[in-house]
Amino acid sequence: MARTDTRFRQSHNAMLDMLSTLPLGAGLPSEVQLAAQLGVSRTVIRAVVQKLGADGILQGSGREKRLTRLPKPKDRLSLREDYIGRDELEARFLDWVLRFDVPAGTALNITQLARQFTVPPHALQEFLASLGQSGLIERRARGGWRLLGFTADYAVELSEFRQVLELNAIRAFTALPKEHAAWTALSKIRAEHLELLDRIDRDFHDFSRLDGRFHSLINSVVSNRFVAEFQKVISLIFHYHYQWDKTMERYRNEAAIREHLTIIAALQDRDTLSAEARARGHLATSKETLLSSMRGHHLA
Amino acid sequence: MARTDTRFRQSHNAMLDMLSTLPLGAGLPSEVQLAAQLGVSRTVIRAVVQKLGADGILQGSGREKRLTRLPKPKDRLSLREDYIGRDELEARFLDWVLRFDVPAGTALNITQLARQFTVPPHALQEFLASLGQSGLIERRARGGWRLLGFTADYAVELSEFRQVLELNAIRAFTALPKEHAAWTALSKIRAEHLELLDRIDRDFHDFSRLDGRFHSLINSVVSNRFVAEFQKVISLIFHYHYQWDKTMERYRNEAAIREHLTIIAALQDRDTLSAEARARGHLATSKETLLSSMRGHHLA
DNA sequence: CATTGTGTCTTTAATGATAAAAACCACTGG
DNA sequence: CCAGTGGTTTTTATCATTAAAGACACAATG
């Protein structure tokens, strides 16, 4: 077979919903308008309109198409809820790799994985290719893929790379002019840190998200697409790691918040050297936590 | 249809070559040996052997297969020279993007490009996906790809990113222990610089390659897969850029060699600050050259 | 009886055919 | 001349098909 007609089915049902709000005998909007409204091409609209005509819901041709009967629930087309999107796939895949210790060097089976993640094999193939640069995956010489795995080596190198980027961002931050919007954002996120510190006993889980936002604020002052791209990978990995290392979570998070605050203070003092040193320290503990949580995870 | 039988055809011909060296009536090596020798699976070997049997070149079965007649030129299978490899594709694609000013935002047509580069559409798809992280290409919402293009913005950000990585490498370099192999390599490449300087009038074209090797030596002391990955992209882009900017090439290259030498000297003195400053300067001129060459290219 | 080799069968991924969707163009009624 | 529609061409996502790889069991040979 060929392409799925998911788009047609969805549009068909959306059109039924739209028609239900119209009075009997009302004229139909133009195809271009409908297409814009549903966010699909005219071709799909035309296919839908034709089907509605055949089902006796619409009548007439050309510009004279009118609603002849209200659609019934029965007219709806069933659409099998399949295929997940790219982001969902990314999340599930990383979850699979990071949560279950898939051993390094495992040969990946396209067909099987595609079934497992309910995506067409083709989509998985493309996804794996796009992951190529992240160093988690390798193309084998004569077909197939190999998972290089989320090893300790990988974590160390990732952390080091993160440090290089982030220290650079710190240096850039202190050089910003006073009126730059980042300073306001920094004050704001400082307040959020203090506020979370107040209710840390209860809401320490909220830190993961705050951490992500803090680091992405720091890096946002370096407007560079390569940095941004890597930042995505890094925050993804660290985000997942937060999800499975539960030991000492409350205390770890509180300590991290305090480290963040010292970095923020140094930045606000425009003390480049101090900020750099603080950030270095923070990133080092972060790396240690990542590594120790990996060890714990392997023993489990 | 399905997979091409290129591997079968190649193996068939290779086998003919091999048989030509044997005397008539000689016994055949085992399938496993043959497979190892030709670097293919046993399945292919078996298919080939069966065909050779049908063509009367081999006779017998099981372990008793013997050469009954020498292969003639006519026995060779023709193989259409198609499909280029991945590296070749990468080279051709970048060449196409960088050499002809493909305007930013162009929608890429898979089928057409696949024909143009003589690869199966599928392979192109995968290639484009793998380029996703490099920021040259974007997936459009509902199918298709868009070329973001090698714009001035892109070049600036690439250069800045390169600078971040390379300054970090410089700092790491000066911290290396005396007996590290990189010092020997540095002395060696210094000699090569001096040697090229002697014959610069004639061989200034050789600089492009030397430049690549110099920068990759600097970066090699940071053993980090992410750095290495990006280094590949960077050197690719700079390599191509060298190919089309011919203005002042001789003088540019001579100046660059001298800059390299000052960096090397500072490194050998273990003078971190000086080395960093020199490298900063060199990378700045490199960036300027890249930008100016792009401007010149656009006007052409 | 261990080792090496072959025959058979299963699994897997690359490819072309194909259908869905998008884009294009020409025509028509107002 | 413009908004809208009908017809047609392009183009991409999906699927069936087939080459190739690999696994397993049995046979032969020393």
Side-chain angles (χ1 to χ4, degrees):
Chain A
M1 254 215 284
R3 271 177 172 236
T4 59
D5 55 356
T6 315
R7 190 157 295 146
F8 167 77
R9 285 161 178 274
Q10 279 176 343
S11 304
H12 180 91
N13 292 346
M15 185 84 91
L16 291 184
D17 292 339
M18 208 267 293
L19 290 178
S20 302
T21 67
L22 295 181
L24 217 62
L28 205 62
S30 84
E31 291 176 357
V32 184
Q33 283 177 310
L34 288 171
Q37 200 172 327
L38 299 185
V40 293
S41 80
R42 259 186 66 212
T43 309
V44 178
I45 296 295
R46 290 173 60 187
V48 169
V49 167
Q50 189 164 32
K51 166 125 179 75
L52 293 178
D55 289 355
I57 296 174
L58 295 177
Q59 256 184 13
S61 68
R63 303 181 190 204
E64 265 311 308
K65 297 198 195 84
R66 312 211 147 266
L67 185 62
T68 50
R69 76 166 170 82
L70 284 173
K72 296 174 226 167
K74 221 173 140 183
D75 292 317
R76 299 186 73 82
L77 295 176
S78 69
L79 55 144
R80 357 185 264 299
E81 286 301 329
D82 19 283
Y83 298 163
I84 61 180
R86 203 221 117 103
D87 292 340
E88 173 80 8
L89 173 60
E90 181 169 276
R92 283 217 225 169
F93 181 80
L94 282 172
D95 193 55
W96 178 69
V97 172
L98 298 179
R99 193 179 301 273
F100 308 95
D101 295 310
V102 185
T106 313
L108 296 179
N109 181 329
I110 292 277
T111 339
Q112 184 193 314
L113 279 180
R115 263 199 305 276
Q116 181 175 338
F117 295 122
T118 56
V119 290
H122 195 256
L124 189 79
Q125 182 103 352
E126 188 181 315
F127 171 72
L128 290 180
S130 81
L131 238 67
Q133 311 276 9
S134 80
L136 273 173
I137 290 233
E138 189 190 51
R139 197 94 173 82
R140 282 194 305 171
R142 262 204 291 300
W145 302 81
R146 166 175 293 127
L147 182 72
L148 296 181
F150 186 61
T151 60
D153 274 356
Y154 185 92
V156 168
E157 293 181 14
L158 184 72
S159 298
E160 279 170 2
F161 195 73
R162 182 195 197 195
Q163 176 173 309
V164 171
L165 296 187
E166 198 137 337
L167 290 182
N168 176 62
I170 291 276
R171 283 189 290 268
F173 208 115
T174 54
L176 288 180
K178 232 185 257 157
E179 63 277 10
H180 196 283
W183 292 114
T184 333
L186 191 66
S187 301
K188 198 159 152 254
I189 213 165
R190 176 168 182 273
E192 288 183 62
H193 275 82
L194 290 173
E195 192 253 335
L196 181 57
L197 207 51
D198 268 349
R199 52 189 176 85
I200 185 73
D201 281 315
R202 201 159 36 89
D203 298 331
F204 60 90
H205 278 116
D206 292 355
F207 176 68
S208 168
R209 188 166 304 159
L210 185 60
D211 185 64
R213 285 180 39 231
F214 173 72
H215 287 285
S216 94
L217 169 63
I218 298 289
N219 283 289
S220 72
V221 305
V222 180
S223 64
N224 186 300
R225 67 193 76 188
F226 305 105
V227 174
E229 194 62 46
F230 254 98
Q231 206 53 40
K232 262 170 47 188
V233 177
I234 290 171
S235 64
L236 214 60
I237 304 264
F238 277 83
H239 174 72
Y240 271 88
H241 139 258
Y242 270 116
Q243 289 193 335
W244 31 272
D245 185 17
K246 297 304 183 196
T247 60
M248 307 279 293
E249 191 179 1
R250 155 133 181 19
Y251 295 98
R252 263 198 301 118
N253 288 358
E254 182 178 342
I257 292 181
R258 295 193 190 282
E259 288 182 1
H260 281 188
L261 285 171
T262 64
I263 298 174
I264 294 175
L267 282 176
Q268 289 178 329
D269 287 350
R270 305 288 195 119
D271 186 343
T272 313
L273 284 182
S274 165
E276 206 179 313
R278 308 280 183 213
R280 210 179 277 274
H282 175 57
L283 292 170
T285 54
S286 196
K287 170 176 157 187
E288 263 321 304
T289 317
L290 178 59
L291 281 172
S292 79
S293 90
M294 284 183 65
R295 278 192 290 272
H297 194 63
H298 270 87
L299 295 176
Chain B
M1 257 217 281
R3 275 177 168 236
T4 59
D5 55 355
T6 315
R7 190 157 295 146
F8 168 76
R9 287 161 177 273
Q10 279 175 343
S11 305
H12 180 91
N13 292 345
M15 185 85 91
L16 290 185
D17 293 340
M18 207 268 291
L19 290 178
S20 302
T21 66
L22 296 181
L24 217 62
L28 205 62
S30 84
E31 291 177 358
V32 184
Q33 283 178 307
L34 288 171
Q37 199 172 327
L38 299 185
V40 294
S41 77
R42 258 187 66 215
T43 310
V44 177
I45 296 294
R46 288 172 58 86
V48 169
V49 167
Q50 189 164 31
K51 166 122 180 76
L52 294 178
D55 289 355
I57 296 173
L58 295 176
Q59 257 184 13
S61 67
R63 304 185 186 200
E64 265 311 309
K65 298 197 195 85
R66 312 213 147 265
L67 185 60
T68 49
R69 74 166 171 82
L70 283 173
K72 298 174 225 164
K74 222 172 140 183
D75 292 316
R76 299 185 73 82
L77 295 176
S78 70
L79 57 144
R80 356 185 263 300
E81 285 301 330
D82 21 284
Y83 300 165
I84 60 180
R86 204 222 117 101
D87 292 340
E88 172 79 9
L89 172 59
E90 181 169 277
R92 283 218 226 169
F93 181 80
L94 282 172
D95 194 54
W96 178 68
V97 172
L98 298 178
R99 192 181 301 274
F100 308 94
D101 294 311
V102 186
T106 312
L108 296 179
N109 181 329
I110 293 277
T111 339
Q112 184 193 313
L113 279 180
R115 263 200 304 277
Q116 182 174 337
F117 295 123
T118 55
V119 289
H122 196 258
L124 190 77
Q125 185 103 350
E126 189 182 314
F127 171 72
L128 290 179
S130 80
L131 238 66
Q133 312 274 11
S134 79
L136 272 173
I137 290 237
E138 190 190 50
R139 197 92 171 83
R140 282 192 306 169
R142 263 203 290 301
W145 302 82
R146 167 175 292 127
L147 181 73
L148 295 181
F150 186 61
T151 60
D153 274 357
Y154 185 91
V156 168
E157 293 181 15
L158 183 73
S159 299
E160 280 170 1
F161 196 73
R162 181 195 198 196
Q163 176 173 310
V164 172
L165 297 186
E166 197 137 339
L167 290 182
N168 177 62
I170 290 277
R171 282 188 291 267
F173 208 115
T174 55
L176 287 181
K178 231 185 262 161
E179 63 278 11
H180 195 284
W183 292 114
T184 333
L186 191 67
S187 301
K188 198 158 151 255
I189 213 167
R190 174 167 182 274
E192 287 184 62
H193 275 81
L194 290 172
E195 191 253 333
L196 180 57
L197 207 52
D198 268 349
R199 51 188 176 86
I200 184 73
D201 282 314
R202 200 157 38 89
D203 297 330
F204 59 91
H205 279 114
D206 291 357
F207 176 68
S208 168
R209 188 166 302 159
L210 185 60
D211 184 66
R213 285 180 40 230
F214 173 71
H215 288 284
S216 96
L217 168 63
I218 298 288
N219 282 289
S220 73
V221 304
V222 179
S223 65
N224 185 300
R225 66 193 79 187
F226 305 105
V227 173
E229 194 62 45
F230 254 97
Q231 207 52 40
K232 260 169 48 188
V233 176
I234 289 170
S235 64
L236 213 60
I237 302 265
F238 278 83
H239 174 73
Y240 271 89
H241 139 257
Y242 271 116
Q243 288 193 336
W244 32 271
D245 185 17
K246 297 304 181 194
T247 61
M248 308 277 293
E249 192 178 1
R250 151 123 183 32
Y251 295 98
R252 264 197 301 118
N253 288 358
E254 181 177 345
I257 293 181
R258 295 193 190 282
E259 288 182 2
H260 281 188
L261 286 171
T262 64
I263 298 174
I264 294 174
L267 282 176
Q268 289 179 327
D269 287 351
R270 303 287 195 122
D271 185 344
T272 313
L273 285 181
S274 165
E276 206 179 314
R278 308 282 183 213
R280 209 179 277 275
H282 175 58
L283 292 169
T285 53
S286 196
K287 170 176 158 187
E288 264 321 304
T289 318
L290 177 59
L291 281 172
S292 79
S293 91
M294 286 184 64
R295 279 192 288 274
H297 196 62
H298 272 86
L299 295 177

